Amino acid sequence: CALPILMAHTAMRLLLKIADENGKHDTMNNVAIKFMIVGDGPLMQKVKKVLSQLSTKLLENIRFYDSVHYTDAYDVTLASDVTFLPSVMERIPTSFFEAMSVGNVIVGANVGAINELVKDGVTGTLLKTNKQVLEGRSLVPGESNFNEAVEFYLKALLDLCYDKSKYNRMSSATLSTIPQFGFSHTANLISTKLRNIVKKVKSTRTNLSPTQT
């Protein structure tokens, strides 16, 4: 089960813990989750330093894409099964649209307007965030909300890796969701709304008496 991880500052320690716990689920010498970390931003060296704490065996299951040209980003996403974005500071990531367009299932936090695109249990699995997170506070290693997030994400990722019927069902749902956010669909919705407004205005004017007009 391969997934690209779109890194954010609050995710580094979270990823370390998940990758470490993932190693404990090693069966038949095959680690369930293969991580692909995408991006060459200012945090990449910190990410590599944090992940260097992992065993050599686990590091073999983490591949870094320091710099991916936008023309190659599609191939990275296409080669993945799940897109994992544990950041707690988001609106609706463009990367989710890109991932879902090729059938990637989403795993991330229920923040911003993400739940308008990703339906929990249908096209992805979303961490229910508490008030502190919603107010902009990061998940802090050692605190209860951090540990709960690790357990939640690990279970969500492993479920998708081991339960193929669940994964296939959710992957199909992501493919059918994206057209609803396409330009043509959105344009038709707006056009229908405007026509209904015009009809309502005309109907109101028709029903007004001469003195009222």
Side-chain angles (χ1 to χ4, degrees):
C1 184
L3 62 151
I5 303 171
L6 309 161
M7 294 303 300
H9 184 67
T10 59
M12 289 191 292
R13 291 286 172 181
L14 187 63
L15 173 61
L16 174 64
K17 184 66 174 176
I18 290 174
D20 187 42
E21 290 295 320
N22 175 53
K24 297 175 184 179
H25 292 262
D26 187 353
T27 58
M28 300 298 288
N29 296 319
N30 287 314
V31 177
I33 305 172
K34 312 294 183 183
F35 297 96
M36 293 190 291
I37 301 179
V38 185
D40 61 351
L43 292 176
M44 179 53 76
Q45 294 307 313
K46 291 184 179 179
V47 171
K48 289 182 176 180
K49 183 177 180 179
V50 168
L51 293 180
S52 66
Q53 301 173 41
L54 294 171
S55 67
T56 302
K57 182 178 179 181
L58 288 179
L59 286 173
E60 290 175 353
N61 292 282
I62 300 176
R63 187 170 181 179
F64 292 94
Y65 290 84
D66 291 354
S67 180
V68 177
H69 193 269
Y70 74 92
T71 57
D72 298 322
Y74 175 82
D75 293 331
V76 173
T77 305
L78 190 60
S80 307
D81 303 302
V82 178
T83 291
F84 176 35
L85 179 61
S87 172
V88 296
M89 297 291 287
E90 297 291 341
R91 293 293 181 258
I92 300 185
T94 302
S95 56
F96 279 5
F97 287 94
E98 296 169 346
M100 293 173 70
S101 70
V102 295
N104 276 205
V105 178
I106 303 299
V107 175
N110 188 6
V111 294
I114 286 177
N115 59 13
E116 292 185 16
L117 173 64
V118 182
K119 299 303 179 186
D120 189 29
V122 179
T123 56
T125 303
L126 299 177
L127 172 70
K128 295 177 177 61
T129 49
N130 58 30
K131 184 178 179 182
Q132 288 180 323
V133 172
L134 291 175
E135 290 175 346
R137 183 179 178 186
S138 300
L139 294 169
V140 180
E143 293 193 358
S144 60
N145 64 342
F146 178 88
N147 296 329
E148 290 169 4
V150 169
E151 292 179 8
F152 177 88
Y153 284 136
L154 182 62
K155 182 179 184 303
L157 294 171
L158 289 175
D159 280 352
L160 290 170
C161 287
Y162 287 121
D163 191 339
K164 294 302 181 183
S165 62
K166 178 179 181 179
Y167 172 79
N168 290 335
R169 181 178 68 253
M170 297 178 79
S171 178
S172 296
T174 65
L175 291 170
S176 61
T177 295
I178 289 302
Q180 301 173 28
F181 291 85
F183 176 79
S184 296
H185 183 76
T186 303
N188 288 334
L189 286 177
I190 294 174
S191 178
T192 300
K193 290 286 186 182
L194 289 174
R195 283 198 298 269
N196 289 337
I197 292 173
V198 171
K199 287 180 181 178
K200 186 175 181 179
V201 171
K202 287 183 177 180
S203 175
T204 302
R205 287 180 175 178
T206 301
N207 294 330
L208 289 175
S209 65
T211 55
Q212 290 175 308
T213 58

